[in-house]
Amino acid sequence: MTVLDSTPQTSARAARKAALGSFVGTAIEWYDFFIYGTAAALVLGPQFFPGSSEVAGTLAAFATLAVGFIARPIGGVVMGHFGDRIGRKSMLVVSLLLMGFATVAIGVLPNYAAIGVAAPILLVALRFIQGLGVGGEWGGAVLVATENAPAGKRGLYGAAPQIGVPAGVLIANLVYLPLTAFLSEETFNAWGWRIPFLASAVLVFVAMWIRLGLEESAEFKAAKDAPAAEEKLPILEVLTQHWKTVLLAGGTFIATNGIAYAYMVYVLKYGEATLGFSKTTMLALLIASCPFWMAGMAFAAWRSDLVGRRTVYIRSSAGLVVAAALFFPLMDTALLPVMLLAMVGLGFTLGCCAGPQSALFAELFPAKIRYSGASLGYQIGAILGGGLAPMMATSLFAATGTSMSITGYFVLIALISLMSILLLRVPSAGYANITDSRRSPEEGV
């Protein structure tokens, strides 16, 4: 089956600018989101939930991490609605402002010792606002990149916001690394952990300058101007006519997101508390693996333009089952070269799963409801994946005393995601102009 690309074309310069804007903005938003996860693993428990055991404090800190995931689908639905009706660009600006405000506010928030129970309450509220912001970020950034991409390169251009995710992790941990290395533990716990949150103000300013210069894609303009094209309630059409697609799309993302959050957040605590390594060593391992994570995304996205999204996604998801089974047994050797191999291998495999995701999710929905549909599918996977994974990993290890229980959990969710992509079918070409002539026969229904 050959599919002709009828998408209104954007100039090459505008396409590159859209991809750059998606990458930079997403990297900075996820920097904001991830510095919270790193702080939750390293310091937020005793700062905001004192008086409990170390495990209970860590669980409480990870629970506030999960609050952000609960807010994400709300942000996705609200911003998806206006993004489908008004435009992608305006919602990307709103999401960036929400995230920047909440992150800087956390940086100046007094701890429990200063204001008592108000401290964790305000922390939860600000984390919720962070979740609202990032909930609307992914869908808009993906659509700006894919809808502006040249024909035949939608997978590759769609990887730009995806690569922004590990780039955000990399920036976040590069900021934390010198703080943990050169500040005493007492100084870091007193005020050093706040520096990455306050630095967000500068990064958000840079991203805002770039995003204000973006333009809406020719495809979105054409869809908006088409007679009777505007859907008054895009989310209603998504939920009534595309609910199976949304659920399966979310299912494909559970393992990628869940294992990634355990890999980025829980492993920092595990390496320190269980394996006996310093914060600095664990951060260094994560930083070293991030380029391989990004490389996996770029490679898989490029391949998806050649052989099809589902083909690449299925192969990558099968690889993730294997990587999930091997990760903790390799980490538990407590040998740094082996641990680095485990981090690099899992990071590359996670990247391969995420690489084709942008274009795949965008191809699932017509342009008039694409922001709402893609965002909702993504955020459902995020709640069931990353929102639960750090707490599940902490609880399972506390209950069993062995990482084998975490490995079992990883393998289970990896199998769920593999089954979801096997069941998911991309609608036929008439559904979304975003499809192109290089799409393989197996992409249709």
Side-chain angles (χ1 to χ4, degrees):
M1 173 180 164
T2 299
V3 181
L4 298 178
D5 187 0
S6 58
T7 306
Q9 294 298 300
T10 304
S11 70
R13 181 177 179 276
R16 289 192 296 270
K17 186 176 181 180
L20 176 63
S22 295
F23 167 76
V24 173
T26 302
I28 291 172
E29 284 227 34
W30 286 98
Y31 162 86
D32 286 355
F33 205 67
F34 285 136
I35 57 174
Y36 187 96
T38 303
L42 300 180
V43 73
L44 292 186
Q47 288 283 327
F48 290 89
F49 305 96
S52 55
S53 69
E54 184 177 353
V55 171
T58 300
L59 280 171
F62 284 156
T64 63
L65 180 72
V67 167
F69 285 89
I70 295 171
R72 282 171 63 167
I74 300 173
V77 167
V78 174
M79 293 187 209
H81 170 80
F82 289 104
D84 283 326
R85 297 199 66 195
I86 299 172
R88 307 352 185 166
K89 172 183 169 180
S90 58
M91 292 302 102
L92 286 178
V93 170
V94 170
S95 70
L96 193 61
L97 288 174
L98 284 174
M99 179 61 79
F101 162 76
T103 302
V104 174
I106 291 173
V108 298
L109 182 65
N111 62 14
Y112 189 94
I115 60 173
V117 72
I121 293 173
L122 290 172
L123 181 67
V124 170
L126 291 170
R127 181 61 180 171
F128 188 85
I129 295 173
Q130 274 194 324
L132 292 176
V134 83
E137 163 66 24
W138 186 84
V142 161
L143 298 188
V144 164
T146 54
E147 290 179 347
N148 283 289
K153 295 184 178 180
R154 303 198 188 279
L156 184 60
Y157 274 65
Q162 296 288 74
I163 294 173
V165 177
V169 177
L170 185 60
I171 297 168
N173 287 289
L174 283 173
V175 172
Y176 270 115
L177 185 62
L179 295 175
T180 59
F182 298 115
L183 296 180
S184 67
E185 185 168 358
E186 182 182 61
T187 302
F188 178 79
N189 291 341
W191 55 265
W193 68 271
R194 298 179 182 273
I195 293 175
F197 290 86
L198 299 176
S200 173
V202 177
L203 298 177
V204 167
F205 177 81
V206 173
M208 186 64 67
W209 176 71
I210 294 173
R211 285 200 164 167
L212 289 174
L214 296 178
E215 297 180 4
E216 296 292 355
S217 70
E219 181 181 1
F220 173 76
K221 292 176 182 177
K224 186 172 177 58
D225 293 341
E230 186 178 274
E231 178 65 39
K232 291 184 178 180
L233 286 174
I235 190 62
L236 185 61
E237 181 175 335
V238 169
L239 292 176
T240 56
Q241 298 184 30
H242 305 273
W243 61 272
K244 290 183 180 178
T245 299
V246 168
L247 290 178
L248 287 174
T252 68
F253 188 50
I254 290 174
T256 307
N257 193 252
I259 294 174
Y261 261 88
Y263 157 82
M264 293 179 294
V265 175
Y266 174 74
V267 169
L268 296 178
K269 190 70 176 181
Y270 183 82
E272 183 184 6
T274 304
L275 301 181
F277 291 96
S278 67
K279 293 182 176 72
T280 303
T281 298
M282 296 309 299
L283 286 171
L285 287 174
L286 181 57
I287 289 169
S289 66
C290 281
F292 294 90
W293 191 5
M294 291 185 275
M297 288 181 173
F299 171 74
W302 169 72
R303 286 294 296 166
S304 78
D305 284 327
L306 300 177
V307 302
R309 320 287 180 224
R310 289 186 68 251
T311 295
V312 174
Y313 214 129
I314 288 170
R315 292 172 182 172
S316 300
S317 297
L320 186 57
V321 175
V322 177
L326 294 175
F327 180 69
F328 272 103
L330 292 176
M331 292 295 290
D332 285 344
T333 64
L335 300 172
L336 284 176
V338 178
M339 293 168 67
L340 178 60
L341 176 65
M343 295 286 284
V344 166
L346 183 59
F348 182 81
T349 309
L350 287 168
C352 288
C353 291
Q357 184 185 22
S358 296
L360 177 67
F361 275 39
E363 289 170 355
L364 293 174
F365 306 97
K368 65 177 182 175
I369 61 168
R370 188 174 292 147
Y371 201 142
S372 297
S375 293
L376 187 59
Y378 181 90
Q379 302 307 342
I380 286 175
I383 290 177
L384 298 177
L388 297 178
M391 287 192 298
M392 286 292 294
T394 302
S395 299
L396 287 170
F397 188 80
T400 65
T402 172
S403 65
M404 288 303 296
S405 57
I406 308 175
T407 297
Y409 172 65
F410 276 13
V411 171
L412 175 62
I413 61 176
L415 289 171
I416 291 172
S417 286
L418 176 59
M419 184 60 64
S420 297
I421 187 58
L422 288 171
L423 294 174
L424 183 66
R425 292 293 181 269
V426 178
S428 58
Y431 222 36
N433 289 333
I434 203 167
T435 53
D436 60 61
S437 59
R438 301 188 78 166
R439 190 171 148 203
S440 72
E442 54 86 28
E443 297 282 356
V445 175

